[in-house]
Every structure is written in C-alpha cells, then in structure tokens.
Short mmCIF file of all heavy atoms in Angstrom, two decimals:
data_model
loop_
_atom_site.label_atom_id
_atom_site.label_comp_id
_atom_site.label_asym_id
_atom_site.label_seq_id
_atom_site.Cartn_x
_atom_site.Cartn_y
_atom_site.Cartn_z
N LEU A 879 73.34 124.97 59.94
CA LEU A 879 72.49 125.38 61.05
C LEU A 879 72.51 126.88 61.25
O LEU A 879 71.87 127.41 62.13
CB LEU A 879 72.94 124.69 62.35
CG LEU A 879 72.65 123.21 62.44
CD1 LEU A 879 73.20 122.66 63.77
CD2 LEU A 879 71.18 122.91 62.34
N THR A 880 73.25 127.57 60.43
CA THR A 880 73.37 129.01 60.54
C THR A 880 71.96 129.61 60.39
O THR A 880 71.23 129.32 59.47
CB THR A 880 74.28 129.59 59.43
OG1 THR A 880 75.58 129.00 59.57
CG2 THR A 880 74.37 131.10 59.49
N ALA A 881 71.61 130.45 61.31
CA ALA A 881 70.27 131.01 61.33
C ALA A 881 70.34 132.53 61.06
O ALA A 881 71.39 133.15 61.19
CB ALA A 881 69.65 130.77 62.67
N GLN A 882 69.21 133.10 60.78
CA GLN A 882 69.13 134.54 60.60
C GLN A 882 68.88 135.18 61.96
O GLN A 882 68.16 134.66 62.78
CB GLN A 882 67.96 134.87 59.64
CG GLN A 882 68.15 134.25 58.28
CD GLN A 882 69.36 134.78 57.57
OE1 GLN A 882 69.65 135.99 57.61
NE2 GLN A 882 70.13 133.95 56.93
N GLY A 883 69.47 136.35 62.15
CA GLY A 883 69.25 137.09 63.36
C GLY A 883 70.30 136.84 64.41
O GLY A 883 71.21 136.06 64.26
N THR A 884 70.14 137.54 65.54
CA THR A 884 71.09 137.43 66.61
C THR A 884 70.92 136.09 67.35
O THR A 884 69.94 135.36 67.10
CB THR A 884 70.84 138.57 67.64
OG1 THR A 884 69.54 138.37 68.25
CG2 THR A 884 70.96 139.94 67.02
N ILE A 885 71.81 135.83 68.28
CA ILE A 885 71.68 134.60 69.06
C ILE A 885 70.38 134.57 69.86
O ILE A 885 69.80 133.50 70.03
CB ILE A 885 72.90 134.35 69.93
CG1 ILE A 885 73.25 135.53 70.81
CG2 ILE A 885 74.08 133.88 69.13
CD1 ILE A 885 74.41 135.35 71.68
N VAL A 886 69.89 135.72 70.27
CA VAL A 886 68.59 135.79 70.93
C VAL A 886 67.46 135.41 69.97
O VAL A 886 66.58 134.63 70.34
CB VAL A 886 68.33 137.22 71.54
CG1 VAL A 886 66.92 137.31 72.09
CG2 VAL A 886 69.34 137.52 72.66
N ASP A 887 67.54 135.92 68.73
CA ASP A 887 66.52 135.54 67.76
C ASP A 887 66.54 134.04 67.49
O ASP A 887 65.49 133.41 67.37
CB ASP A 887 66.78 136.28 66.42
CG ASP A 887 66.64 137.78 66.54
OD1 ASP A 887 65.84 138.23 67.35
OD2 ASP A 887 67.40 138.50 65.83
N VAL A 888 67.71 133.47 67.43
CA VAL A 888 67.85 132.01 67.23
C VAL A 888 67.15 131.27 68.41
O VAL A 888 66.37 130.33 68.20
CB VAL A 888 69.32 131.58 67.13
CG1 VAL A 888 69.47 130.08 67.13
CG2 VAL A 888 69.97 132.18 65.87
N ALA A 889 67.39 131.73 69.63
CA ALA A 889 66.83 131.09 70.81
C ALA A 889 65.30 131.25 70.81
O ALA A 889 64.56 130.31 71.09
CB ALA A 889 67.41 131.65 72.08
N VAL A 890 64.81 132.47 70.48
CA VAL A 890 63.38 132.74 70.46
C VAL A 890 62.69 131.83 69.44
O VAL A 890 61.54 131.38 69.69
CB VAL A 890 63.12 134.23 70.14
CG1 VAL A 890 61.66 134.46 69.78
CG2 VAL A 890 63.52 135.09 71.34
N ASN A 891 63.31 131.55 68.35
CA ASN A 891 62.73 130.75 67.26
C ASN A 891 62.92 129.23 67.45
O ASN A 891 62.57 128.49 66.58
CB ASN A 891 63.29 131.19 65.93
CG ASN A 891 62.75 132.56 65.54
OD1 ASN A 891 61.58 132.87 65.73
ND2 ASN A 891 63.65 133.41 65.07
N ASN A 892 63.44 128.78 68.61
CA ASN A 892 63.62 127.37 68.85
C ASN A 892 62.89 127.02 70.15
O ASN A 892 63.25 127.48 71.22
CB ASN A 892 65.13 127.10 69.01
CG ASN A 892 65.43 125.64 69.19
OD1 ASN A 892 64.65 124.90 69.80
ND2 ASN A 892 66.55 125.18 68.63
N LYS A 893 61.88 126.19 69.98
CA LYS A 893 61.00 125.84 71.17
C LYS A 893 61.80 125.19 72.29
O LYS A 893 61.37 125.25 73.41
CB LYS A 893 59.86 124.96 70.72
CG LYS A 893 60.26 123.62 70.13
CD LYS A 893 59.06 122.77 69.75
CE LYS A 893 59.35 121.53 69.00
NZ LYS A 893 60.48 120.72 69.46
N ASP A 894 62.94 124.60 72.01
CA ASP A 894 63.73 123.94 73.05
C ASP A 894 64.46 124.94 73.96
O ASP A 894 65.01 124.55 74.99
CB ASP A 894 64.79 123.02 72.40
CG ASP A 894 64.17 121.81 71.75
OD1 ASP A 894 63.11 121.35 72.20
OD2 ASP A 894 64.73 121.33 70.77
N PHE A 895 64.39 126.24 73.61
CA PHE A 895 65.01 127.26 74.42
C PHE A 895 63.99 128.21 75.08
O PHE A 895 64.35 129.30 75.49
CB PHE A 895 66.01 128.10 73.58
CG PHE A 895 67.21 127.33 73.08
CD1 PHE A 895 67.56 127.38 71.74
CD2 PHE A 895 67.99 126.57 73.92
CE1 PHE A 895 68.65 126.69 71.28
CE2 PHE A 895 69.08 125.88 73.46
CZ PHE A 895 69.43 125.95 72.12
N SER A 896 62.75 127.80 75.16
CA SER A 896 61.73 128.72 75.69
C SER A 896 61.99 129.12 77.14
O SER A 896 61.76 130.26 77.53
CB SER A 896 60.32 128.16 75.50
OG SER A 896 60.17 126.94 76.19
N THR A 897 62.50 128.20 77.94
CA THR A 897 62.77 128.52 79.34
C THR A 897 63.99 129.47 79.40
O THR A 897 63.95 130.44 80.18
CB THR A 897 63.10 127.24 80.16
OG1 THR A 897 61.97 126.35 80.03
CG2 THR A 897 63.33 127.58 81.63
N LEU A 898 64.97 129.27 78.58
CA LEU A 898 66.11 130.17 78.51
C LEU A 898 65.67 131.59 78.13
O LEU A 898 66.06 132.55 78.72
CB LEU A 898 67.16 129.67 77.51
CG LEU A 898 68.35 130.58 77.26
CD1 LEU A 898 69.15 130.80 78.55
CD2 LEU A 898 69.24 129.98 76.16
N VAL A 899 64.80 131.67 77.16
CA VAL A 899 64.28 133.00 76.67
C VAL A 899 63.54 133.67 77.83
O VAL A 899 63.70 134.86 78.11
CB VAL A 899 63.42 132.84 75.40
CG1 VAL A 899 62.71 134.15 75.06
CG2 VAL A 899 64.31 132.38 74.25
N THR A 900 62.68 132.92 78.50
CA THR A 900 61.94 133.46 79.65
C THR A 900 62.92 133.98 80.72
O THR A 900 62.73 135.06 81.29
CB THR A 900 61.05 132.38 80.28
OG1 THR A 900 60.08 131.95 79.31
CG2 THR A 900 60.31 132.87 81.51
N ALA A 901 63.97 133.21 80.98
CA ALA A 901 64.97 133.65 81.99
C ALA A 901 65.73 134.87 81.52
O ALA A 901 65.98 135.76 82.34
CB ALA A 901 65.95 132.48 82.27
N LEU A 902 66.11 134.92 80.21
CA LEU A 902 66.81 136.12 79.73
C LEU A 902 65.92 137.37 79.85
O LEU A 902 66.43 138.44 80.20
CB LEU A 902 67.16 135.91 78.24
CG LEU A 902 68.28 134.96 77.95
CD1 LEU A 902 68.37 134.63 76.45
CD2 LEU A 902 69.62 135.43 78.49
N LYS A 903 64.61 137.22 79.63
CA LYS A 903 63.71 138.36 79.77
C LYS A 903 63.63 138.76 81.21
O LYS A 903 63.67 139.96 81.53
CB LYS A 903 62.33 138.02 79.20
CG LYS A 903 62.31 137.92 77.70
CD LYS A 903 60.94 137.47 77.20
CE LYS A 903 60.94 137.36 75.66
NZ LYS A 903 59.65 136.83 75.17
N ALA A 904 63.51 137.78 82.13
CA ALA A 904 63.37 138.06 83.56
C ALA A 904 64.63 138.73 84.12
O ALA A 904 64.56 139.55 85.01
CB ALA A 904 63.11 136.77 84.33
N ALA A 905 65.79 138.38 83.56
CA ALA A 905 67.06 138.98 84.02
C ALA A 905 67.40 140.28 83.26
O ALA A 905 68.40 140.86 83.53
CB ALA A 905 68.19 137.95 83.83
N ASP A 906 66.54 140.64 82.34
CA ASP A 906 66.74 141.87 81.52
C ASP A 906 68.05 141.79 80.74
O ASP A 906 68.80 142.76 80.71
CB ASP A 906 66.69 143.08 82.40
CG ASP A 906 66.35 144.37 81.61
OD1 ASP A 906 65.79 144.25 80.52
OD2 ASP A 906 66.73 145.45 82.10
N LEU A 907 68.34 140.64 80.14
CA LEU A 907 69.55 140.44 79.36
C LEU A 907 69.34 140.32 77.86
O LEU A 907 70.33 140.21 77.14
CB LEU A 907 70.28 139.17 79.86
CG LEU A 907 70.87 139.20 81.24
CD1 LEU A 907 71.41 137.86 81.67
CD2 LEU A 907 71.97 140.26 81.33
N VAL A 908 68.11 140.40 77.44
CA VAL A 908 67.82 140.24 75.99
C VAL A 908 68.58 141.30 75.18
O VAL A 908 69.24 141.02 74.19
CB VAL A 908 66.31 140.27 75.72
CG1 VAL A 908 66.04 140.33 74.22
CG2 VAL A 908 65.66 139.05 76.32
N GLY A 909 68.46 142.55 75.60
CA GLY A 909 69.10 143.65 74.87
C GLY A 909 70.62 143.49 74.80
O GLY A 909 71.20 143.70 73.75
N ALA A 910 71.22 143.04 75.89
CA ALA A 910 72.69 142.87 75.91
C ALA A 910 73.13 141.82 74.90
O ALA A 910 74.10 141.98 74.22
CB ALA A 910 73.16 142.52 77.32
N LEU A 911 72.37 140.72 74.85
CA LEU A 911 72.72 139.61 73.95
C LEU A 911 72.29 139.83 72.50
O LEU A 911 72.58 139.04 71.65
CB LEU A 911 72.20 138.28 74.47
CG LEU A 911 72.86 137.78 75.75
CD1 LEU A 911 72.24 136.49 76.24
CD2 LEU A 911 74.39 137.59 75.52
N GLN A 912 71.60 140.92 72.27
CA GLN A 912 71.31 141.31 70.91
C GLN A 912 72.30 142.30 70.38
O GLN A 912 72.24 142.73 69.22
CB GLN A 912 69.89 141.93 70.83
CG GLN A 912 68.80 140.85 70.92
CD GLN A 912 67.39 141.42 70.85
OE1 GLN A 912 67.13 142.51 71.34
NE2 GLN A 912 66.50 140.68 70.21
N GLY A 913 73.27 142.67 71.21
CA GLY A 913 74.34 143.61 70.84
C GLY A 913 75.30 143.00 69.82
O GLY A 913 75.11 141.85 69.40
N ASP A 914 76.30 143.77 69.45
CA ASP A 914 77.22 143.37 68.39
C ASP A 914 77.99 142.08 68.73
O ASP A 914 78.30 141.32 67.87
CB ASP A 914 78.21 144.51 68.12
CG ASP A 914 77.55 145.69 67.44
OD1 ASP A 914 76.45 145.50 66.87
OD2 ASP A 914 78.12 146.79 67.52
N GLY A 915 78.33 141.93 70.01
CA GLY A 915 79.13 140.77 70.38
C GLY A 915 80.52 140.85 69.80
O GLY A 915 81.08 141.93 69.68
N PRO A 916 81.07 139.76 69.37
CA PRO A 916 80.45 138.45 69.28
C PRO A 916 80.44 137.74 70.65
O PRO A 916 81.22 138.05 71.52
CB PRO A 916 81.35 137.70 68.30
CG PRO A 916 82.67 138.29 68.45
CD PRO A 916 82.42 139.74 68.79
N PHE A 917 79.51 136.79 70.74
CA PHE A 917 79.31 136.01 71.96
C PHE A 917 79.35 134.54 71.67
O PHE A 917 78.96 134.12 70.56
CB PHE A 917 77.98 136.32 72.64
CG PHE A 917 77.73 137.74 72.97
CD1 PHE A 917 76.85 138.53 72.21
CD2 PHE A 917 78.37 138.37 74.02
CE1 PHE A 917 76.59 139.83 72.51
CE2 PHE A 917 78.13 139.69 74.32
CZ PHE A 917 77.25 140.43 73.58
N THR A 918 79.78 133.77 72.61
CA THR A 918 79.63 132.30 72.61
C THR A 918 78.70 131.98 73.78
O THR A 918 79.01 132.34 74.92
CB THR A 918 80.96 131.59 72.75
OG1 THR A 918 81.84 131.96 71.71
CG2 THR A 918 80.77 130.06 72.79
N VAL A 919 77.59 131.39 73.44
CA VAL A 919 76.57 131.04 74.49
C VAL A 919 76.51 129.53 74.61
O VAL A 919 76.31 128.81 73.62
CB VAL A 919 75.19 131.62 74.07
CG1 VAL A 919 74.15 131.20 75.16
CG2 VAL A 919 75.24 133.12 73.93
N PHE A 920 76.64 129.09 75.85
CA PHE A 920 76.43 127.69 76.18
C PHE A 920 74.96 127.61 76.67
O PHE A 920 74.70 127.97 77.81
CB PHE A 920 77.44 127.19 77.23
CG PHE A 920 78.87 127.23 76.69
CD1 PHE A 920 79.71 128.26 77.06
CD2 PHE A 920 79.32 126.25 75.86
CE1 PHE A 920 81.02 128.33 76.55
CE2 PHE A 920 80.63 126.26 75.35
CZ PHE A 920 81.48 127.31 75.72
N ALA A 921 74.10 127.25 75.77
CA ALA A 921 72.64 127.38 76.03
C ALA A 921 72.01 126.11 76.57
O ALA A 921 71.97 125.07 75.89
CB ALA A 921 71.95 127.80 74.72
#
C-alpha cells in the first residue's frame, strides 16, 4: 500500500479522504503535513 508522495499526497489521491483534505486546507495544515516529519496520522 506504499504510495508515492507525502501523507498529504496520499490523502489527496484517495477519494475516501476528501473531507479530511478539505479540513486540512481550511485549517491551513497542508504545508505542515507535507514537511519532513515523520508523522503518524490517524486519518
């Protein structure tokens, strides 16, 4: 299930996370979660 790109890219490319992506954009967190990390996201 390893995907290409950051965890944000993975979420953007999965239709089941569209509300999460909308919320990340509204909270201005996209840039932070595209950083080096590493992060564990409970999505």
